[in-house]
Amino acid sequence: MTEHPSDRDMACQAETGARALVDRIAQAVWETDARGIVVSDSPAWRRLTGQSLADLLDRGWVAAIHPDERRDIRHQWRAAVARGCSIDIEARLQVEGGGYRWSRLYIVPLRAEDGSVRNWTGMSMDIKARKEAEHVLRESEARLQGLVGELQHRVRNILTVVRSVFSRTVEGERPIEEIAEHFRGRLDSLARTQVILAQHPAGSIDLQNLIRDELLNAGVQDGPLLAIGGPDVGLTPLQAESLALAFHELTTNALKYGALRVPGGHLNIGWTTNIGYGGDRVLDFTWTEQGVPAIPVRPTYRGFGMELIKDALPYRLGAETRVEFLGGGIRCSISFPLPEQDGSVSTG
């Protein structure tokens, strides 16, 4: 007659198999009695946590949890024992040698034949790598949200500038061809600046490169009639955006009426950095034209370029500006505070 194993034997075999599986996937395993009190030694747990046998038997496994999470987990553990249900928690677990490491703690009740809890088995699994990956992901998401917010702000800002440029360009009774030419040139200047800003989203924009980009686009090459010089200066995106449009207006005016139009004209662009009254760095910029034969006459019509330099730059950059109509050409002076130096000037 074939002897069939009893239900008790099958249960013992199942429990033994479960323990073997747990031992393979867990860092450490420990047991408590039905009341949740540690009553036996757990060498693997002590090796993992550095917890002494006396502390383990006296204070229990919860004593190895990080102090910031210990109270909450002790509450969860007591509630689980009272209800007789398993718990699955994540916490920082002390490790041998000092410090804490993220672990997943899974604790289940083992029941007697009558369904009552006979004892509890717990196991810990290392989840440090997963937690670090989650942290990196959260930081990436935060940076992405910041970039999206900055992009939205930049788009709103540039649309406001475009509306302003358009409304000022179409003012006055001028041929539509002239209006279109001015508007197209200003839009091109804004577009070039946006390309520069997109290439250097985290760094500042080099002042000299910004100036040379505008001059080269207008066909103005280096030569004896052009002098550009000053220390390395990094601009914020707002400063670069505003100044690029001002440089476009100055260049356009010099090509049509000033030093870049006449053979004997000379253009000198220079800047220095100084300490302002408040202790901040201040940029002092000058655009000086010479050799223009026409008698200087202050224009009666205040165009977009003049309004930009006299009104917009002070409003947007806190700048002090001055435009002088001198014999031989105009002189434009712009002074404004610079950002703190951080070594992030983008010159490419």
Side-chain angles (χ1 to χ4, degrees):
M1 174 184 287
T2 303
E3 182 177 348
H4 295 283
S6 65
D7 292 340
R8 178 171 297 182
D9 291 338
M10 293 179 64
C12 289
Q13 292 175 6
E15 184 172 330
T16 300
R19 286 179 184 274
L21 176 61
V22 167
D23 287 338
R24 285 197 297 270
I25 66 175
Q27 286 181 299
V29 180
W30 71 97
E31 290 187 357
T32 76
D33 63 12
R35 298 169 299 167
I37 300 174
V38 176
V39 294
S40 61
D41 188 12
S42 177
W45 175 261
R46 290 192 289 109
R47 284 195 302 271
L48 173 66
T49 64
Q51 194 177 21
S52 68
L53 176 59
D55 192 37
L56 175 62
L57 296 177
D58 181 41
R59 302 174 60 201
W61 62 268
V62 179
I65 301 298
H66 191 282
D68 291 348
E69 298 146 12
R70 190 178 300 158
R71 182 177 179 181
D72 179 60
I73 289 180
R74 180 175 282 114
H75 176 75
Q76 293 185 54
W77 172 227
R78 288 174 178 172
V81 171
R83 295 194 303 268
C85 59
S86 61
I87 58 173
D88 188 355
I89 53 180
E90 295 179 357
R92 286 171 290 176
L93 187 65
Q94 74 179 36
V95 292
E96 187 177 16
Y100 290 85
R101 194 178 184 93
W102 277 104
S103 298
R104 179 183 177 186
L105 307 174
Y106 187 51
I107 311 169
V108 297
L110 299 180
R111 303 184 183 278
E113 291 182 358
D114 60 2
S116 63
V117 175
R118 186 175 72 246
N119 56 8
W120 294 80
T121 295
M123 62 179 176
S124 66
M125 292 170 285
D126 190 335
I127 58 171
K128 179 184 177 183
R130 197 201 80 199
K131 282 291 186 178
E132 290 177 344
E134 290 175 349
H135 177 69
V136 171
L137 179 60
R138 285 195 297 270
E139 287 188 334
S140 298
E141 290 175 344
R143 284 195 297 270
L144 179 60
Q145 290 176 355
L147 289 174
V148 170
E150 175 63 24
L151 177 60
Q152 291 174 338
H153 174 75
R154 187 78 58 80
V155 169
R156 288 194 297 268
N157 179 68
I158 195 64
L159 288 176
T160 300
V161 173
V162 169
R163 283 195 296 266
S164 175
V165 168
F166 177 77
S167 62
R168 294 295 289 117
T169 302
V170 298
E171 286 182 357
E173 297 180 0
R174 291 177 295 169
I176 188 64
E177 293 80 6
E178 183 179 346
I179 293 175
E181 179 186 357
H182 280 289
F183 186 59
R184 184 164 49 248
R186 289 160 182 167
L187 278 185
D188 288 345
S189 177
L190 287 172
R192 289 194 301 274
T193 305
Q194 296 307 309
V195 170
I196 295 174
L197 295 180
Q199 291 172 344
H200 308 289
S204 54
I205 311 304
D206 183 67
L207 172 62
Q208 184 165 169
N209 283 353
L210 195 68
I211 297 169
R212 290 189 178 278
D213 182 74
E214 183 59 46
L215 292 172
L216 288 174
N217 185 73
V220 181
Q221 304 287 336
D222 286 343
L225 302 182
L226 173 64
I228 303 177
D232 289 341
V233 171
L235 303 172
T236 66
L238 176 62
Q239 291 171 339
E241 205 169 61
S242 301
L243 288 175
L245 203 51
F247 297 152
H248 171 76
E249 296 301 313
L250 289 168
T251 301
T252 301
N253 184 76
L255 284 168
K256 288 189 173 183
Y257 312 110
L260 298 179
R261 178 176 179 271
V262 298
H266 184 272
L267 173 60
N268 182 66
I269 304 172
W271 60 90
T272 60
T273 57
N274 302 290
I275 303 300
Y277 293 113
D280 298 330
R281 283 198 315 146
V282 174
L283 176 75
D284 293 320
F285 170 89
T286 57
W287 174 292
T288 305
E289 298 181 28
Q290 297 173 333
V292 182
I295 299 175
V297 177
R298 182 179 297 273
T300 57
Y301 172 70
R302 197 181 192 197
F304 174 81
M306 186 66 66
E307 185 177 273
L308 172 69
I309 294 171
K310 301 288 285 184
D311 296 336
L313 294 186
Y315 175 75
R316 299 190 75 193
L317 306 183
E320 295 181 5
T321 63
R322 184 178 182 182
V323 179
E324 302 171 89
F325 295 86
L326 307 174
I330 69 167
R331 174 184 171 88
C332 175
S333 303
I334 304 172
S335 298
F336 60 90
L338 289 169
E340 293 294 329
Q341 290 178 304
D342 58 5
S344 60
V345 176
S346 300
T347 59

